[in-house]
Amino acid sequence: RSKNQGGNKITYFSTGMNDQAMVRLELESYLRKALQKNEFHLCYQPLLDLQTGEITCTEALIRWQHPHLGLVSPAQFIPLAEETGLIEEIGAWVLTTACAQTKYWQQNGFPNLGISVNVSAYQFQQHAFIGQVIEALNVSGLDPGYLSLELTESAMLKDIVYSISVMKSLQELGVKVSIDDFGTGYSSLSYLRNLPIDTLKIDQSFINNLHDDPSDIAIVKAIITMGQGLAVKIVAEGVETHEQMNILRDLDCHYAQGYYIEKPLDTDAFEKGFRTVENVAYTVK
Ligand code: C2E
Ligand code: MG
Ligand code: MG
Ligand code: MG
């Protein structure tokens, strides 16, 4: 192990810095090497079509397995990747990997499976972003209509004019656009009229207590009704119980995603799970 791998530096800083700064620095130095060291992989969480009972799409969720730190949550390292600019490379890797995997699945038993990819605010604002999307589609050969990109409200509202132009370019390519964690942003609803979006994903905080909170039901119902008016598909995130799923189906919500349906699966688990199910509750379209 050579000295320029950062081990000495970390020991030096640990004497003078507080624990939090120390952890951040250590994490950052590990994160810089994670791509080359092949420490990332993607898990895929299915989206269930509530009308047909089919799995039409999966969401790619990044995982970082570090040899010493163990599994690091994206909630922990994605913000750091954004601050350091590393998200540009990591985001490109996610796009390429997710598109290639989906193309592979389409050719091996799941002909109409789509893919939804999370895009961070910083990544979305980069001028290289559209090029990365085109590259991932070209390299994989995936039909653009099977790719959906998940943006958050805060990502879009940083520069709304620029955001709209990027979203329009995406739609010209045939790529779909989703708003993730919908309902948690600060924005008014009026901006929705101007945004070229295909899907709204209702944040899981509105779904958690759906079965015993009438106000959550009212909110979810209103979002679904609005979606119908705007011709936007609605996904409920974080569905954990049969009751929640039934309520969503009764409200004519299009898609559900959550642990009750399936947790995020690595590629092996996805293939096993969706090939060997006897009582096919969830088939692939
Ligand atoms: P998200 O895009 O809103 O993803 C949903 C998160 O909720 C995932 O956490 C998922 O594992 C979790 N989840 C799914 N079903 C349930 C459920 O029924 N109950 C509960 N409590 N949680 C559920 P995860 O994988 O830890 O990802 C957290 C966030 O990190 C994501 O939120 C997304 O914002 C970000 N993220 C993940 N992968 C990527 C990526 O490849 N690129 C970017 N830019 N961000 C990513
Ligand atoms: Mg998401
Ligand atoms: Mg979400
Ligand atoms: Mg989230």
Side-chain angles (χ1 to χ4, degrees):
R1 178 178 268 272
S2 73
K3 276 187 177 175
N4 57 16
Q5 276 187 309
N8 290 348
K9 249 191 209 164
I10 287 166
T11 315
Y12 167 73
F13 277 116
S14 70
T15 58
M17 294 172 85
N18 64 39
D19 285 357
Q20 222 186 332
M22 167 50 208
V23 166
R24 191 190 180 283
L25 195 75
E26 192 175 23
L27 210 59
E28 184 180 329
S29 100
Y30 288 146
L31 194 59
R32 287 193 185 281
K33 297 168 194 146
L35 262 184
Q36 293 99 299
K37 292 193 169 181
N38 249 319
E39 291 168 357
F40 293 120
H41 69 276
L42 296 180
C43 280
Y44 296 87
Q45 188 180 31
L47 274 77
L48 176 70
D49 183 323
L50 287 171
Q51 264 117 60
T52 65
E54 292 167 324
I55 300 299
T56 52
C57 181
T58 71
E59 176 179 2
L61 293 160
I62 194 168
R63 298 290 177 260
W64 179 19
Q65 184 71 51
H66 186 271
H68 308 310
L69 303 173
L71 194 62
V72 187
S73 154
Q76 223 182 329
F77 74 82
I78 292 289
L80 186 59
E82 289 205 283
E83 284 166 39
T84 53
L86 291 167
I87 193 70
E88 198 162 333
E89 252 187 292
I90 296 172
W93 177 85
V94 172
L95 273 167
T96 309
T97 307
C99 289
Q101 182 65 56
T102 302
K103 179 69 185 184
Y104 171 82
W105 277 334
Q106 289 184 351
Q107 291 171 327
N108 290 275
F110 307 94
N112 294 308
L113 191 66
I115 183 74
S116 201
V117 175
N118 291 285
V119 176
S120 77
Y122 179 93
Q123 189 188 356
F124 180 67
Q125 304 294 337
Q126 294 299 299
H127 287 281
F129 176 63
I130 291 280
Q132 290 179 348
V133 174
I134 294 171
E135 171 89 359
L137 290 168
N138 285 346
V139 169
S140 64
L142 185 73
D143 181 320
Y146 287 110
L147 175 62
S148 181
L149 298 176
E150 299 190 9
L151 309 168
T152 58
E153 290 168 84
S154 57
M156 295 177 310
L157 295 172
K158 280 199 170 148
D159 182 345
I160 190 79
V161 176
Y162 180 70
S163 296
I164 289 175
S165 77
V166 176
M167 290 161 88
K168 284 193 171 143
S169 310
L170 290 171
Q171 288 196 325
E172 278 162 25
L173 287 174
V175 172
K176 298 199 164 63
V177 177
S178 301
I179 300 186
D180 202 357
D181 304 340
F182 184 71
T184 60
Y186 304 97
S187 48
S188 80
L189 292 178
S190 65
Y191 77 101
L192 276 179
R193 278 183 308 206
N194 306 317
L195 292 177
I197 49 169
D198 301 280
T199 309
L200 288 180
K201 299 188 75 172
I202 305 176
D203 190 67
Q204 56 186 51
S205 57
F206 298 103
I207 309 299
N208 291 341
N209 302 310
L210 201 57
H211 46 288
D212 52 30
D213 190 336
S215 58
D216 281 345
I217 293 194
I219 290 169
V220 168
K221 199 172 173 176
I223 295 174
I224 292 167
T225 306
M226 183 182 69
Q228 287 162 346
L230 295 170
V232 163
K233 297 275 188 204
I234 304 294
V235 180
E237 296 193 272
V239 178
E240 294 186 353
T241 69
H242 189 68
E243 263 175 310
Q244 291 165 355
M245 197 165 87
N246 278 344
I247 294 170
L248 290 161
R249 196 185 273 118
D250 288 346
L251 293 175
D252 284 330
C253 185
H254 301 103
Y255 301 100
Q257 192 183 17
Y259 296 162
Y260 178 70
I261 295 145
E262 198 60 82
K263 60 182 191 299
L265 302 168
D266 63 28
T267 52
D268 284 353
F270 180 84
E271 287 169 15
K272 278 191 198 117
F274 288 92
R275 277 169 203 275
T276 59
V277 171
E278 292 279 332
N279 174 14
V280 188
Y282 315 113
T283 56
V284 175
K285 196 176 181 177

